[in-house]
């Protein structure tokens, strides 16, 4: 019965937090390799699928950066940032699933 006694974690949707998004995007850009992942960064875009701050867990985010050489996917979990091997369909399915469970 311990399952029913667990306290629900508090979540804050941080999708409007520009500073947090800029910090995550800049860190992700640092993981990209010039010449392989991009030729130049002009016109590079970043799109967040979701961005939450969960008490006791930290940041939970999924986002993509599109450069002149393709789209690169990233996830933030707690204090970790990971580059993912996703395609756009998997990205969108993951975003949709996460958002449906956290709204």
């Amino acid at each position: 019965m311990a399952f029913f006694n667990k306290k629900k974690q508090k979540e804050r949707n941080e999708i409007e937090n520009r500073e947090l998004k800029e910090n995550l995007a800049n860190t992700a850009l640092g993981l990209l390799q010039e010449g392989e992942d991009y030729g130049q960064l002009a016109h590079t875009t970043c799109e967040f699928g979701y961005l939450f701050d969960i008490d006791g867990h930290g940041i939970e985010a999924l986002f993509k950066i599109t450069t002149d050489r393709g789209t690169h996917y990233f996830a933030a979990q707690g204090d970790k940032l990971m580059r993912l091997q996703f395609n756009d369909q998997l990205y969108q399915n993951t975003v949709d699933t996460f958002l449906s469970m956290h709204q």
Side-chain angles (χ1 to χ4, degrees):
M1 291 290 184
F3 172 76
F4 295 105
N5 294 328
K6 286 187 178 178
K7 213 162 74 171
K8 182 174 167 91
Q9 295 177 324
K10 290 180 105 177
E11 301 175 339
R12 288 176 303 286
N13 188 339
E14 295 286 344
I15 201 70
E16 300 297 326
N17 185 334
R18 182 179 176 161
E19 183 179 351
L20 180 56
K21 292 193 303 188
E22 286 176 354
N23 286 338
L24 288 168
N26 285 335
T27 302
L29 283 172
L31 298 177
L32 298 179
Q33 295 180 1
E34 185 174 3
E36 184 175 324
D37 297 317
Y38 65 91
Q40 59 179 355
L41 291 176
H43 309 292
T44 294
T45 62
C46 181
E47 176 186 319
F48 279 79
Y50 57 82
L51 177 56
F52 281 80
D53 187 359
I54 302 171
D55 287 349
H57 174 75
I59 299 299
E60 187 76 31
L62 186 66
F63 62 102
K64 60 183 175 179
I65 295 177
T66 303
T67 69
D68 59 345
R69 300 252 171 108
T71 303
H72 313 280
Y73 301 90
F74 297 88
Q77 293 180 325
D79 62 354
K80 295 177 178 63
L81 179 66
M82 296 156 283
R83 187 167 176 178
L84 305 173
Q85 297 297 318
F86 269 28
N87 61 36
D88 208 53
Q89 182 177 1
L90 181 56
Y91 172 84
Q92 195 57 55
N93 289 346
T94 304
V95 168
D96 292 345
T97 300
F98 185 90
L99 290 177
S100 71
M101 294 186 317
H102 292 271
Q103 291 183 352

